[in-house]
Amino acid sequence: MKLSKRPEFFELLPFLGQWLFLASAVAALAGSASAVFLLALDWATHARVAHRWLIWLLPLGGFGVGWLYLRLGRHVEAGNNLLIDEIHDPQKIIPLRMAPLVFVGTVVSHLFGASVGREGTAVQMGGALADQFTRVFKLQHEDRRIVLMAGISAGFASVFGTPLAGAVFGLEVLAIGRMRYEALFPCAVAAIVADQVGLLWGVHHTHYSIPEVGPIALWPLVVMVIAGALFGLTGKVFAEATHALSAWVKKQVHYAPLRPLLGGVLVASAAWFLDAEHYIGLGIPTIVQAFQQPLAPYDFAAKMAFTVASLGTGFKGGEVTPLFYIGATLGNALAPLFHLPVALLAGIGFVAVFAGAANTPIASTLMAMELFGSEIGVYAALACTVSYLCSGATGIYRSQRIGHAKNGQAPEGIKLGELSAYQQAQRETP
């Protein structure tokens, strides 16, 4: 006798209703915070461009933000890594102060010319705001995890205008090779609603144009594999260089506010005296140019150096937009070598370097399709997957866990930041 499915359906309704409400509430807050943040970034960028001398205040700005975090933000300084840790191992509700601190810190960084991004700020604001619902509704650990994931998705989607990528990013960023599908519905709702909330606030996202992708052909597919490997290695170098510089600076300079002060002197001096101001800030105009015309072949390396110096010395912001810059300009430089259109390889590099550095190939592929059109999907999927594999056991988020190792030689559940110590111990064990 065939059993009715009605009871199962009715049992699902409370789940759908609960998460439709919670995810929408999280999205409304995160989307609004991201909208205000993007408007503030536009003001900061225009102010710096109009008043070039502001770059010389970068050391003082860095010192001020460093002092603020030393006094008020020690418990939230880990940023995105704190969110990932709390999802995997819930301990304490994330202090609400994370949101205003990272907001102010990132706007200051951009006003005075640090080479940082914006996704880290949006994600941290989304996560911190979302976690306040834990206290309000007395959520249990499992529901709290999902709320935090929804906050991450909402922040990512609203700052880039990519709801599908945002939804999957909140699932994919937590562990390499594994996703938590029970959070798919809340993350999808949060990402879609947050993006729409941002649009209601009047936020306009940058349009990147790839005139024609063309039909699938053998040579472009071969290029995607080769270029994907180069993009993955680039993401690996970026992540390892940033972590190495950060560790070295912390070892050499014990008073935290002095680190961004010294980094600010270095970045401001290099930008001013080398006439390299197009390597600081978000660099959106250069990213747009990468889709339109050939650029200097060293632009990607210069942007990487400025970003590593900024993030490694403690400036607040994010890594993703600089990774877009690095990837787009590297793709621009590779296009003539592979006899492919500049716009096509710039677009592939845009998402593939990010895929390798963040270990998020699916979210990166969806982002390519949302930004550049569905026709690029096959090429983006191939390049992002190869980039992900070639970036190895590293990434920009040190609290990211290994769910399924790329090479099968790392234990499940270990943090990326702990992997080198584990491997060293294994080598020393007889």
Side-chain angles (χ1 to χ4, degrees):
M1 181 176 178
K2 194 173 182 180
L3 296 176
S4 172
K5 295 185 178 181
R6 286 174 61 84
E8 182 180 353
F9 171 77
F10 285 118
E11 287 177 8
L12 186 62
L13 287 179
F15 172 85
L16 294 175
Q18 172 190 344
W19 287 111
L20 188 61
F21 169 75
L22 279 176
S24 297
V26 166
L29 292 176
S32 297
S34 291
V36 175
F37 170 61
L38 290 175
L39 294 172
L41 278 193
D42 283 343
W43 167 81
T45 300
H46 286 112
R48 188 189 72 246
V49 172
H51 306 285
R52 189 167 175 253
W53 57 269
L54 283 173
I55 194 173
W56 289 114
L57 297 180
L58 183 60
L60 293 179
F63 182 88
V65 172
W67 183 87
L68 214 77
Y69 267 84
L70 182 65
R71 295 297 179 185
L72 302 174
R74 290 187 180 185
H75 297 301
V76 299
E77 192 170 12
N80 290 349
N81 290 304
L82 175 60
L83 296 179
I84 295 173
D85 280 335
E86 284 295 327
I87 292 171
H88 284 289
D89 185 21
Q91 299 292 330
K92 296 180 180 179
I93 294 175
I94 295 170
L96 184 58
R97 73 185 67 175
M98 172 185 270
L101 280 174
V102 74
F103 182 105
V104 171
T106 305
V107 172
V108 168
S109 295
H110 283 280
L111 177 62
F112 301 131
S115 178
V116 294
R118 53 190 174 175
E119 126 286 338
T121 305
V123 165
Q124 289 174 52
M125 290 193 300
L129 292 168
D131 209 15
Q132 306 315 304
F133 288 98
T134 299
R135 182 182 291 111
V136 174
F137 296 105
K138 296 180 171 51
L139 300 178
Q140 298 302 310
H141 284 336
E142 195 57 38
D143 287 342
R144 182 181 176 231
R145 288 189 178 102
I146 296 176
V147 160
L148 283 171
M149 294 165 72
I152 291 173
S153 292
F156 190 94
S158 57
V159 83
F160 293 126
T162 53
L164 294 181
V168 174
F169 180 81
L171 304 171
E172 194 177 21
V173 73
L174 305 177
I176 296 173
R178 182 170 296 166
M179 291 198 290
R180 300 173 63 102
Y181 285 99
E182 71 272 19
L184 180 56
F185 176 70
C187 286
V189 171
I192 293 167
V193 174
D195 177 53
Q196 292 301 308
V197 167
L199 295 176
L200 289 175
W201 273 85
V203 169
H204 298 286
H205 299 288
T206 306
H207 176 69
Y208 304 100
S209 175
I210 299 180
E212 185 178 355
V213 175
I216 303 299
L218 178 60
W219 176 241
L221 291 173
V222 173
V223 171
M224 293 306 123
V225 175
I226 300 170
L230 295 174
F231 293 142
L233 292 173
T234 302
K236 178 182 176 69
V237 170
F238 174 88
E240 292 184 347
T242 303
H243 297 322
L245 178 61
S246 178
W248 183 82
V249 169
K250 287 178 180 177
K251 185 177 180 180
Q252 301 298 322
V253 183
H254 298 290
Y255 187 56
L258 283 180
R259 298 167 196 156
L261 185 148
L262 297 173
V265 171
L266 175 65
V267 171
S269 300
W272 185 277
F273 292 114
L274 298 177
D275 193 25
E277 290 174 56
H278 53 295
Y279 298 129
I280 61 177
L282 289 174
I284 298 296
T286 304
I287 297 176
V288 172
Q289 289 176 10
F291 286 79
Q292 300 171 343
Q293 63 193 47
L295 300 177
Y298 53 79
D299 276 351
F300 79 95
K303 181 62 173 179
M304 184 184 295
F306 273 88
T307 307
V308 168
S310 298
L311 293 173
T313 55
F315 282 96
K316 302 303 176 184
E319 302 92 345
V320 175
T321 305
L323 286 170
F324 292 162
Y325 185 121
I326 293 166
T329 51
L330 176 56
N332 181 284
L334 292 175
L337 301 178
F338 292 120
H339 304 289
L340 287 181
V342 162
L344 177 60
L345 263 190
I348 294 297
F350 183 107
V351 293
V353 172
F354 166 53
N359 293 302
T360 54
I362 301 175
S364 302
T365 300
L366 290 172
M367 173 173 272
M369 297 170 70
E370 289 183 290
L371 293 177
F372 313 132
S374 60
E375 297 84 3
I376 204 171
V378 171
Y379 293 140
L382 187 57
C384 288
T385 302
V386 173
S387 175
Y388 161 76
L389 293 172
C390 290
S391 65
T394 187
I396 53 179
Y397 306 118
R398 292 177 65 79
S399 288
Q400 204 171 39
R401 266 57 165 185
I402 292 181
H404 184 77
K406 301 176 189 179
N407 57 14
Q409 296 178 352
E412 292 187 8
I414 192 171
K415 296 181 184 180
L416 285 184
E418 299 171 348
L419 188 57
S420 60
Y422 168 83
Q423 292 172 335
Q424 181 65 29
Q426 291 293 106
R427 286 193 290 267
E428 293 174 356
T429 301

